[in-house]
Amino acid sequence: KRQAQLSCLINNRELYSRMRFLSHLCPEEPYRLYEYGDEKEVEKLDNKSLFNFYQRLLQETPFIIYTDGLDHDDVLTVLDGLGRNAPAITPFEQKCRVARKRIKKVSEKMDVKQAFLWLGFRADLPPTDERATAAQLLSAIFGGMPTSRLFKTVRLKNSLAYDIYSSYVRSKGILSTFSCVAVENVTATERLIMSEWNKILKGDINDEEISVAKKHIIQDLESLSDSPLALADFYAYGLLLGMKESPERRIASIRRLKRDDIISVAQLFKCDTLFSLLPQKTKPGVSECRK
């Protein structure tokens, strides 16, 4: 089943373009892989190797238990024996890398009608660093909301993109932008994205943008209490990264952030990779240019 899902990734153009982008942004890092792994590696698996791994998983893998409405002792009784040889859970050591000295520009061609453009920014900003919360707010202002800078400028004002957004991966110190555009608008879109980024670096962020971004993120954090699974995911993610933080504490941190905090953290990020997936009629290539 997983092998079939991996082979079908190519049919989801946006997801496929993201995987190709990550293969260039993180060529030597596990983060480049899709959650179900690599198709070639899946082909090598058989029933015996899967069963042996499953047994090791039960006996040697540490796990986190969250209960809701159940007696804690009863849960432990049911799970008795699981993870009996497992070590204590320790934070996952994740390395955040600085950007390349030269921006890596890559274009590939495929049977698509629109172009898919990705820009990847990197910063050596560990997830436990308090400035990482400012980076989350930065991404929301830049392209993480329907009222973000990129959405309003690139899509609404200049009509260059069918879709555009940014996202921030705290565990990796990666901020990326995605846009789906007509092939003739790729260069103009890239330039406008970088123009808006440079404006932020120079301090061009207004109070309204900050206020809206704070409300957007705080609302998402407050909604975690509506879903036990989402709340468990928040705490598990934090525990594995060594972050002892509750949603309430994160909200308090966000409310304290100032304009200068956002600008300062933006200056830590440098553009690393620019990837475009283009229609076949265009000429693909790989090049590098100075930042």
Side-chain angles (χ1 to χ4, degrees):
K1 181 180 178 181
R2 294 306 185 212
Q3 185 175 354
Q5 290 174 320
L6 287 168
S7 64
C8 290
L9 280 179
I10 197 170
N11 297 321
N12 185 330
R13 299 300 197 242
E14 180 180 336
L15 178 57
Y16 178 77
S17 70
R18 179 178 182 273
M19 302 314 300
R20 295 302 305 147
F21 160 65
L22 290 178
S23 72
H24 296 291
L25 178 68
C26 312
E28 300 175 354
E29 300 167 70
Y31 183 67
R32 74 187 187 281
L33 298 173
Y34 185 58
E35 61 182 305
Y36 296 151
D38 178 80
E39 187 176 2
K40 293 181 180 179
E41 293 300 319
V42 172
E43 289 178 356
K44 301 176 184 178
L45 299 177
D46 55 30
N47 290 339
K48 183 178 180 180
S49 61
L50 286 174
F51 181 69
N52 289 338
F53 177 79
Y54 176 67
Q55 288 184 311
R56 286 180 53 201
L57 186 71
L58 294 179
Q59 297 177 11
E60 302 176 10
T61 304
F63 59 91
I64 307 166
I65 301 175
Y66 293 94
T67 63
D68 183 19
L70 299 171
D71 183 88
H72 186 67
D73 291 333
D74 290 343
V75 173
L76 291 178
T77 299
V78 172
L79 299 178
D80 183 41
L82 292 181
R84 57 180 174 270
N85 299 322
I89 293 177
T90 56
F92 181 68
E93 293 185 7
Q94 185 65 271
K95 293 184 178 179
C96 296
R97 304 186 180 187
V98 296
R100 295 177 173 93
K101 293 182 179 180
R102 294 173 179 266
I103 299 174
K104 183 177 182 180
K105 287 193 172 185
V106 185
S107 61
E108 298 178 0
K109 67 177 181 178
M110 188 179 176
D111 182 18
V112 292
K113 296 184 182 298
Q114 291 87 31
F116 298 88
L117 177 65
W118 290 87
L119 278 78
F121 300 78
R122 304 197 75 153
D124 184 9
L125 186 64
T128 53
D129 194 311
E130 291 184 358
R131 294 174 297 177
T133 301
Q136 183 182 6
L137 192 60
L138 165 68
S139 179
I141 292 170
F142 189 44
M145 307 180 296
T147 57
S148 67
R149 183 75 62 90
L150 292 183
F151 189 88
K152 290 192 294 186
T153 303
V154 180
R155 182 176 178 181
L156 296 183
K157 183 178 179 180
N158 291 278
S159 302
L160 288 175
Y162 303 111
D163 189 19
I164 187 166
Y165 60 82
S166 71
S167 58
Y168 170 59
V169 181
R170 184 165 183 150
S171 63
K172 296 295 296 180
I174 292 175
L175 190 153
S176 60
T177 71
F178 164 80
S179 53
C180 177
V181 302
V183 66
E184 63 270 18
N185 292 331
V186 169
T187 300
T189 301
E190 174 194 338
R191 289 175 178 172
L192 191 52
I193 290 172
M194 290 307 302
S195 174
E196 291 302 316
W197 177 255
N198 288 327
K199 287 180 182 178
I200 290 177
L201 293 180
K202 294 177 182 178
D204 182 12
I205 303 177
N206 61 55
D207 292 339
E208 182 180 358
E209 287 178 306
I210 296 173
S211 176
V212 172
K214 285 185 176 183
K215 290 178 181 178
H216 176 79
I217 297 175
I218 289 172
Q219 183 177 20
D220 285 345
L221 289 168
E222 289 177 337
S223 68
L224 291 176
S225 60
D226 296 330
S227 169
L229 184 60
L231 196 59
D233 184 66
F234 176 90
Y235 280 109
Y237 182 78
L239 182 61
L240 292 174
L241 294 178
M243 298 160 49
K244 297 180 180 179
E245 187 181 44
S246 65
E248 292 76 18
R249 184 177 175 183
R250 177 78 63 84
I251 289 172
S253 297
I254 291 170
R255 286 179 171 150
R256 288 195 299 266
L257 288 172
K258 305 296 183 183
R259 179 173 168 273
D260 289 345
D261 298 322
I262 302 167
I263 297 169
S264 295
V265 81
Q267 293 171 348
L268 299 177
F269 286 87
K270 307 296 180 184
C271 189
D272 179 284
T273 301
L274 191 156
F275 173 79
S276 54
L277 184 65
L278 306 172
Q280 287 182 335
K281 62 181 179 180
T282 61
K283 295 181 179 180
V286 178
S287 63
E288 290 188 348
C289 66
R290 293 186 182 274
K291 286 193 277 190

